[in-house]
Amino acid sequence: MTVLRNPVLRGFAPDPSLIRVGDWYYVATSSFEWFPTIPLHRSRDLAHWEYAGHVQRAVPGNSLAGVPDSGGVWAPALSWDGERFWVTYTVVRSVGTPYFDLDTYVSTADAVGGEWSAPRRVPSHGFDPALFHEDGRLWLLNLQNDHRPGGERFAGIVVTELDRDTLEPVGDTRLLLQHDRLVEGPKLLRREGWYYLVLAEGGTGWEHGVRVARAKELTGPYELDALPLLTTRDDPGLPLQKAGHGELVETPDGQWLLGHLTARPLHTARGRRCTLGRETAIQAVTWDADGWPRLRHGGWHPAVEVDVPTTPHPLPPAGGSAHPLPPADRPTRHLPPGDQPTHPLPPADRLAHHLPPADRPAGLSWPWSTLREPPDPSWADTTVRPGWIRLRGRHGPESRWAASLLAQRVTEHRAEAEVTVEARPVTFTQAAGLVLWYNPEAYLSLDLTWAEPWGEPQRGQQWRGPAGGGGRTVLSLVERDEEGLRQVAVVDVAADAPVTLGVTVEGADARFWYLRDGARTAVGPALDFSRLSDDHGSRLRFTGAMAGVHARDLVDAAFTADFTGFRLVCTPD
């Protein structure tokens, strides 16, 4: 047996779809507005997970330009039909409106880390779809949305048979189940003559859970289990919260597992805040005498430590990843607590063989992520200056179209990031630096930029850079929330030398600093990192805090900044 510690995928790894193929377990997670789209991880022992690629070009046109924050790619469902991998998912283009304005797609691959087929659109009733394979037939499950005034946004679970080759509907869509509590994210399995419908219940926040229904026929009628399989809604003190969105998987020796999302909240004076976003966890499951699944340890609360069966076989299954994973020095964030890695910038093309060339400029593969488009040498170049990455400034940080930002997931409540930047800003419209990011209404940034000479008022563009004798090169610390952008501190620095920037996160506090004469020097007071969470503000938010680098040039899109030595160290409690 192996003891896993939840979450097994830590920091912004929501809506997991867990499957087994031979001796390998695979997980696909939501990516929302971020690239790479649909990250994929794999494991043999369920405790140690490694990045295995992503579903490249999951978005037609390879762009999510204009998609709202927390829109984009929602809840992929991974499956295996005995010959190839399948994934279905939804691209959501409206958030917080009666209309989701979405498209559901299906893609396939012979190897999970290989080339995925061009996505094909299928009936798009709602988000969080899944596929069910049985006796050569293919079924698409989804929720339906009634957008009309007085309608239910979560109006029941539906199923549509698809032709396996054309993906065209076969017959009519059928209603499987309606429930007085919100249900979504259906997954279907067959066991001992029953069809089991595994449902996300209660929404993806504090009321989240997993509920199971069953029927003798695929198309119903379905009866709901009287008890939840998993939830934390009744105990806000548990270390793992928001438990829900589950999928049942059988091990090679006939045991059962539940993959699900969860979150680790900070308990602050302003309430519970999940700065790390929603993460992936696994529970052991048994079946009671009446044929319902139950958590092996009893009750319905998730366990932090779980004994799971160990599969020692060294070879991948037939049809498994054709791309070998990198050697032991690869960057991996999912090691046991106490062995967290450091990620230099650039990461020397590590794991590059998992990404097709069109999706990976040299050195910018996982764990790097970008907003609404994959990285491109036109704005993120690792070849101009060996050992450095050059960002070309484009739109401001709140753009939904062309933000020059590279970021990595913050995976623990204690973290530290630093980077050295060299740039020559000559106007306040140019800036580059270190950022803690959630979305355009929640970020903290320490930037190298330009400011007027001392004593001169801020009156718009001065058109005089430091080289011309006008203005100063400064570090500007800003914080952004739903009430607007505020400058917290300004520090003068040399105009002609690189500067090392850093930030230390301890729970809800983020303290920025820079190196002056080799010593860390604080910039401004501690800032509220807990605003960078799903739970701050009134709008729907579904991702997680990131740390990274960015650059902007609001006038010419020509200003460049060079970065080196990026590291992000996340330390478990």
Side-chain angles (χ1 to χ4, degrees):
M1 300 292 285
T2 299
V3 178
L4 65 80
R5 184 171 179 83
N6 284 316
V8 293
L9 299 186
R10 303 168 82 85
F12 183 20
D15 308 319
S17 177
L18 173 67
I19 68 168
R20 179 181 63 84
V21 180
D23 296 327
W24 284 98
Y25 297 91
Y26 298 94
V27 164
T29 53
S30 292
S31 49
F32 295 95
E33 67 264 37
W34 291 93
F35 281 73
T37 46
I38 312 180
L40 302 164
H41 288 78
R42 73 174 191 172
S43 173
R44 286 194 185 96
D45 66 3
L46 296 164
H48 305 88
W49 291 82
E50 50 201 2
Y51 179 71
H54 74 281
V55 181
Q56 70 274 10
R57 291 179 290 276
V59 179
N62 222 20
S63 173
L64 289 169
V67 166
D69 308 302
S70 291
V73 180
W74 284 22
L78 199 59
S79 58
W80 167 257
D81 67 356
E83 298 178 354
R84 55 182 169 164
F85 291 92
W86 297 67
V87 66
T88 183
Y89 56 93
T90 300
V91 177
V92 177
R93 300 186 181 275
S94 297
V95 177
T97 73
Y99 304 90
F100 289 112
D101 298 321
L102 50 78
D103 300 285
T104 297
Y105 295 99
V106 170
S107 180
T108 63
D110 294 329
V112 75
E115 194 79 11
W116 288 81
S117 66
R120 289 187 284 174
R121 191 181 188 278
V122 294
S124 303
H125 294 95
F127 51 81
D128 297 13
L131 295 173
F132 178 66
H133 309 269
E134 184 179 49
D135 299 331
R137 300 172 74 180
L138 178 65
W139 302 82
L140 173 70
L141 296 107
N142 215 327
L143 66 82
Q144 65 175 343
N145 169 41
D146 186 347
H147 65 269
R148 298 170 297 177
E152 294 288 340
R153 300 192 73 192
F154 299 83
I157 304 300
V158 297
V159 66
T160 307
E161 186 175 4
L162 303 179
D163 182 278
R164 280 176 47 87
D165 296 320
T166 67
L167 298 185
E168 292 296 324
V170 177
D172 295 330
T173 295
R174 307 184 192 187
L175 178 67
L176 297 185
L177 177 75
Q178 289 181 318
H179 183 35
D180 55 2
R181 185 186 287 269
L182 180 159
V183 289
E184 57 185 317
K187 303 291 192 300
L188 190 64
L189 65 95
R190 190 176 185 187
R191 178 183 181 271
E192 296 184 358
W194 289 95
Y195 290 92
Y196 288 89
L197 196 57
V198 183
L199 303 165
E201 182 186 52
T204 195
W206 306 111
E207 296 297 308
H208 208 15
V210 176
R211 194 72 168 270
V212 177
R214 69 182 181 184
K216 283 294 186 179
E217 302 293 334
L218 187 152
T219 54
Y222 282 83
E223 60 170 323
L224 276 167
D225 188 357
L227 299 174
L229 172 58
L230 178 78
T231 189
T232 52
R233 67 175 69 103
D234 58 328
D235 190 345
L238 293 168
L240 301 180
Q241 290 288 321
K242 300 184 179 180
H245 196 99
E247 186 162 15
L248 288 166
V249 175
E250 188 176 12
T251 71
D253 60 355
Q255 300 184 57
W256 286 83
L257 306 166
L258 176 70
H260 66 95
L261 71 77
T262 192
R264 291 174 285 160
L266 288 170
H267 294 270
T268 76
R270 295 163 295 280
R272 293 179 292 173
R273 300 277 176 85
C274 299
T275 55
L276 308 179
R278 296 167 301 149
E279 306 170 288
T280 293
I282 295 173
Q283 306 297 325
V285 168
T286 188
W287 297 82
D288 70 13
D290 294 324
W292 292 105
R294 301 285 181 240
L295 296 184
R296 189 179 65 194
H297 61 266
W300 46 75
H301 296 159
V304 174
E305 293 189 347
V306 179
D307 290 333
V308 291
T310 298
T311 302
H313 305 290
L315 297 177
S321 176
H323 300 266
L325 287 163
D329 65 349
R330 65 187 177 274
T332 171
R333 288 183 168 274
H334 310 303
L335 298 173
D339 193 7
Q340 292 296 309
T342 295
H343 304 296
L345 187 156
D349 232 3
R350 282 179 271 185
L351 289 172
H353 55 283
H354 285 297
L355 307 178
D359 276 11
R360 56 163 185 88
L364 294 180
S365 52
W366 188 266
W368 288 110
S369 291
T370 53
L371 281 172
R372 294 182 173 83
E373 62 179 324
D376 185 273
S378 68
W379 61 269
D381 197 333
T382 60
T383 63
V384 175
R385 188 177 180 184
W388 296 69
I389 182 167
R390 177 164 293 174
L391 290 186
R392 178 173 61 85
R394 298 185 297 166
H395 290 184
E398 301 179 24
S399 170
R400 292 181 179 176
W401 288 269
S404 297
L405 183 149
L406 300 171
Q408 298 181 10
R409 286 155 171 79
V410 178
T411 62
E412 303 294 343
H413 292 132
R414 288 189 294 156
E416 187 165 274
E418 74 172 69
V419 70
T420 297
V421 58
E422 184 171 14
R424 302 289 186 272
V426 296
T427 161
F428 68 85
T429 61
Q430 299 172 347
L434 179 66
V435 62
L436 292 177
W437 181 269
Y438 185 93
N439 69 15
E441 288 190 348
Y443 64 88
L444 310 171
S445 183
L446 180 60
D447 295 328
L448 187 69
T449 187
W450 176 96
E452 290 83 358
W454 282 109
E456 186 170 314
Q458 179 178 313
R459 298 196 320 193
Q461 180 63 58
Q462 301 297 308
W463 300 113
R464 290 180 292 160
R472 301 170 287 147
T473 300
V474 299
L475 295 178
S476 172
L477 178 63
V478 299
E479 61 177 348
R480 174 68 158 95
D481 61 19
E482 68 279 6
E483 295 179 358
L485 183 68
R486 294 178 297 280
Q487 188 174 65
V488 178
V490 178
V491 175
D492 284 71
V493 293
D496 57 354
V499 59
T500 297
L501 313 177
V503 63
T504 301
V505 175
E506 292 280 351
D509 292 335
R511 292 176 170 86
F512 284 85
W513 45 269
Y514 75 109
L515 291 184
R516 184 174 65 186
D517 299 327
R520 292 186 179 187
T521 303
V523 181
L527 301 181
D528 185 3
F529 183 65
S530 75
R531 290 175 176 168
L532 278 60
S533 73
D534 295 353
D535 317 294
H536 178 75
S538 58
R539 299 186 185 183
L540 295 174
R541 305 190 341 170
F542 298 136
T543 56
M546 312 279 276
V549 295
H550 68 159
R552 66 177 180 270
D553 182 348
L554 306 180
V555 176
D556 298 314
F559 164 75
T560 61
D562 292 350
F563 297 87
T564 193
F566 182 88
R567 68 179 184 93
L568 172 61
V569 177
C570 299
T571 305
D573 295 331

